[in-house]
Amino acid sequence: MIEDASVLQDMSEHTLGPQPGILRGQMAGSVSRESNRLAKLEEESYQSREHFSSQSDDGDWEKVESYAAGTAINGGQAANEWAGVIAFFHPFCNAGGGGERVLWAAIRATQKRWPKAVCVVYTGDHDASKATILQRVENRFNIYLHSPTIVFLYLQTRYYVLSSTYPHFTLLGQSLGSLVLAHEAFSMLVPDIFIDTMGYAFTLAFSKFFFPEIPTAAYVHYPTISTDMLGSLDAETEKGLNAGAGKGWRGKMKRTYWQMFAWMYSWAGGGIDVVMTNSSWTQAHIRSLWGPNRAKRHRSADVEVVFPPVAVEELEEAIVVNELSEEKRERVLLYVAQFRPEKNHALVMRAFSQMIHSSADEDRKTTAGSRLVLIGSVRNSEDATKVYDLRLLAHELKVKDQVEFLCDASWPEILEWLRKSWIGVNGMWNEHFGIGVVEYQAAGLICVVNDSGGPKEDIVVEYDGGPTGFHANDVSDFAENFTQALSMSSRDTLAMRHRARSSAKRFTEEAFAIRWVRQMDKLISLSVELDTSTTD
């Protein structure tokens, strides 16, 4: 097998030269051929050692044509035979969150549709080997990838995009810092197609500046700046980390800074070839921010919603929702989210404490024996500190015996908690989508979510004439809805579980793959057209 170090060594010879006008056909084309030669050698070695595991989607590799038919462009190579290099910019690919599920599901869909393509991931997780990362993908997401055609290129400058690096002007610092990572990434490899799956729009502007012919795409989970963020500066309620920060001269400076950054962000997004968002909420904001610049630069005005993939089918198979299963459920409030400040675990914990210590006797009877279980991945020391602070808060609120923390839980562990929990919670204001919320629904949990963003607009909506959960704005709202969800009659509870589960079918992995491949077709068509024009 060709080791990643060998691939990196060969690829790194194709660096950014002193003249930025190098034609893509001369540089990226040679890189593409070399990448595929190495991938082919690794593929042959891999096949000589073992057949595909029966767990690794045996039948799926035989369904390369399942999403779209291959067609030749201008007498060129059939689309399904395309054998270029697709680079995914995702510096935290081993984090284990919802954004990473999108990355790996996108690569899996790409591999099935274009099996000869090489998928490169620019990552800063240099403490994890290829085998370690792919094993984590299997354990965390139950996603099996075709190892020989995946290459990891390790970035050594990831600290330039860490929020801790910039105590002040964080948005600007991280965005400009991403340019340093982009330079390092393109110094190692200039791909045929460049895709940002983590929200670093400035890296796509970097690509267009130095290599304007390379097709680019953005999968936007959350706009870096938005009108809602600007509006939150005047808010007094639980609306983001900067709620109410617009007062006084500091507030005016912050507002001006954000407005200037919004202009820069709009310019960066104006030149991207294909733009995808994960929800209707994100789509509306990206259209507002990027639309004018895209029109000026004659880019497509389309911003497509590609809902993130959720293991809906797997959850439906693994978890039964009926009268018998109700007897096995425990009065557990489950919150699955990374331990980051914006996830607002503290709000959820305070609401849980308020519910537990309610003065109403009837409420106490309803909530007796309830527990709050927090499950999430810990990416770094900042996340670990966040968990420590939450443990202290649980002690302060006198609920430490009713709150349980599970860090970096495996998928089977999460599945078991989804099976036996009663309520699924999401406390983040303006959550971009909410994969965890869809998982709650597919598992039959009663959802109590923040009254904003994707959970409000796309997920916890009316279905089949009835509600699929509850919306809340602040601590009191959440506490009240927790109590209401626990006190509904058995009949109403089961009916809501079934409505929520039926609603979740809109967000399957297959639905994501179909939409993803449709957008990838546009990028590959651009690449094939360019190759055809440069060889004529």
Side-chain angles (χ1 to χ4, degrees):
M1 178 183 290
I2 302 296
E3 296 295 330
D4 280 352
S6 300
V7 176
L8 176 58
Q9 182 177 350
D10 284 86
M11 288 181 174
S12 62
E13 295 175 2
H14 304 277
T15 58
L16 287 174
Q19 58 277 45
I22 294 177
L23 291 177
R24 175 176 159 272
Q26 296 173 336
M27 178 178 283
S30 62
V31 174
S32 173
R33 289 190 294 272
E34 179 64 7
S35 302
N36 280 280
R37 182 186 70 80
L38 294 167
K40 183 176 181 181
L41 289 173
E42 186 173 354
E43 167 74 11
E44 291 173 353
S45 174
Y46 178 84
Q47 292 287 7
S48 68
R49 288 185 292 106
E50 59 181 333
H51 295 292
F52 293 116
S53 167
S54 58
Q55 293 180 314
S56 305
D57 301 329
D58 271 343
D60 290 337
W61 292 106
E62 300 173 1
K63 300 177 182 177
V64 175
E65 306 294 339
S66 59
Y67 299 129
T71 57
I73 300 176
N74 295 330
Q77 194 177 35
N80 66 314
E81 295 295 314
W82 188 79
V85 177
I86 305 171
F88 296 82
F89 187 82
H90 206 107
F92 298 90
C93 76
N94 203 35
E100 287 66 57
R101 178 185 283 276
V102 170
L103 169 68
W104 304 122
I107 290 178
R108 180 168 65 175
T110 302
Q111 288 183 323
K112 292 179 185 178
R113 179 65 181 84
W114 294 279
K116 294 185 178 180
V118 175
C119 294
V120 172
V121 180
Y122 296 120
T123 178
D125 296 303
H126 45 78
D127 58 338
S129 66
K130 175 178 178 177
T132 300
I133 293 173
L134 295 183
Q135 185 63 52
R136 180 173 168 82
V137 172
E138 294 176 9
N139 293 340
R140 177 67 180 86
F141 302 118
N142 200 33
I143 291 177
Y144 292 83
L145 299 169
H146 191 46
S147 173
T149 54
I150 297 179
V151 175
F152 292 91
L153 297 183
Y154 292 86
L155 304 170
Q156 303 300 317
T157 54
R158 191 174 68 177
Y159 57 88
Y160 281 108
V161 295
L162 295 176
S163 59
S164 58
T165 306
Y166 310 98
H168 307 288
F169 301 101
T170 307
L171 293 179
L172 180 62
Q174 287 181 293
S175 296
L176 295 180
S178 71
L179 296 176
V180 178
L181 273 72
H183 181 273
E184 182 186 0
F186 276 75
S187 295
M188 290 188 286
L189 168 69
V190 179
D192 293 299
I193 294 172
F194 181 59
I195 303 173
D196 167 48
T197 51
M198 205 169 175
Y200 294 109
F202 283 55
T203 64
L204 298 165
F206 177 95
S207 175
K208 281 299 178 185
F209 182 80
F210 286 103
F211 303 97
E213 301 301 330
I214 293 181
T216 57
Y219 186 96
V220 185
H221 296 274
Y222 194 88
T224 306
I225 188 76
S226 69
T227 53
D228 283 0
M229 286 177 63
L230 289 166
S232 74
L233 294 175
D234 299 319
E236 299 293 341
T237 57
E238 302 271 359
K239 290 188 175 181
L241 301 177
N242 291 278
K247 298 177 181 179
W249 67 270
R250 288 180 179 273
K252 291 181 180 179
M253 289 183 62
K254 192 177 194 69
R255 191 187 307 276
T256 301
Y257 157 55
W258 276 10
Q259 289 171 340
M260 292 177 62
F261 180 80
W263 180 88
M264 296 174 64
Y265 184 61
S266 176
W267 174 84
I272 303 170
D273 294 301
V274 172
V275 179
M276 297 168 271
T277 66
N278 63 346
S279 69
S280 302
W281 181 89
T282 307
Q283 179 193 52
H285 283 278
I286 289 299
R287 280 177 171 170
S288 173
L289 289 162
W290 290 358
N293 265 293
R294 293 179 64 76
K296 290 178 183 177
R297 293 155 78 173
H298 307 291
R299 298 293 175 184
S300 170
D302 292 340
V303 176
E304 299 292 336
V305 175
V306 179
F307 289 127
V310 186
V312 173
E313 300 98 329
E314 180 183 350
L315 287 165
E316 288 180 339
E317 291 177 4
I319 299 175
V320 176
V321 177
N322 56 29
E323 293 180 358
L324 292 177
S325 67
E326 288 296 284
E327 298 176 1
K328 299 178 182 179
R329 287 195 182 269
E330 304 172 12
R331 291 185 173 271
V332 170
L333 286 69
L334 181 67
Y335 191 7
V336 181
Q338 288 181 327
F339 289 105
R340 306 201 312 260
E342 62 270 23
K343 295 300 182 180
N344 223 341
H345 290 83
L347 178 146
V348 173
M349 192 178 295
R350 292 181 189 279
F352 175 74
S353 174
Q354 182 172 313
M355 179 193 75
I356 290 294
H357 299 116
S358 172
S359 58
D361 292 338
E362 188 62 31
D363 288 349
R364 288 187 178 182
K365 182 179 179 180
T366 298
T367 61
S370 298
R371 290 181 292 153
L372 174 63
V373 176
L374 306 176
I375 299 179
S377 58
V378 177
R379 303 168 302 167
N380 48 41
S381 60
E382 289 183 1
D383 291 353
T385 301
K386 179 65 178 176
V387 174
Y388 177 76
D389 291 340
L390 288 170
R391 291 184 187 275
L392 291 179
L393 180 61
H395 189 275
E396 176 186 326
L397 296 172
K398 299 179 180 179
V399 291
K400 65 182 182 64
D401 294 332
Q402 290 87 21
V403 177
E404 185 172 348
F405 294 83
L406 278 80
C407 300
D408 296 317
S410 67
W411 176 246
E413 289 177 298
I414 296 173
L415 196 63
E416 182 57 31
W417 280 106
L418 288 169
R419 181 181 291 109
K420 63 185 180 182
S421 296
W422 196 277
I423 295 173
V425 187
N426 183 286
M428 180 177 173
W429 176 70
N430 272 347
E431 173 78 89
H432 39 80
F433 177 68
I435 287 179
V437 179
V438 179
E439 291 176 343
Y440 297 156
Q441 290 188 329
L445 274 65
I446 304 298
C447 294
V448 180
V449 301
N450 198 295
D451 189 27
S452 64
K456 175 186 178 181
E457 296 184 18
D458 291 321
I459 305 174
V460 184
V461 297
E462 283 205 3
Y463 188 86
D464 197 20
T468 56
F470 301 89
H471 301 148
N473 283 303
D474 53 28
V475 170
S476 296
D477 274 355
F478 272 96
E480 182 180 338
N481 285 320
F482 290 161
T483 301
Q484 188 173 348
L486 291 170
S487 61
M488 289 193 302
S489 68
S490 299
R491 179 179 178 181
D492 289 344
T493 299
L494 189 58
M496 184 177 286
R497 295 195 199 281
H498 281 303
R499 284 195 300 271
R501 174 169 262 202
S502 296
S503 176
K505 294 181 185 294
R506 297 173 293 141
F507 309 111
T508 63
E509 293 178 331
E510 181 182 0
F512 168 83
I514 291 172
R515 292 187 178 95
W516 174 266
V517 166
R518 191 177 297 142
Q519 301 308 309
M520 282 299 304
D521 265 325
K522 298 177 184 178
L523 293 167
I524 289 177
S525 294
L526 289 173
S527 180
V528 173
E529 287 172 3
L530 177 62
D531 288 342
T532 301
S533 64
T534 56
T535 55
D536 286 345

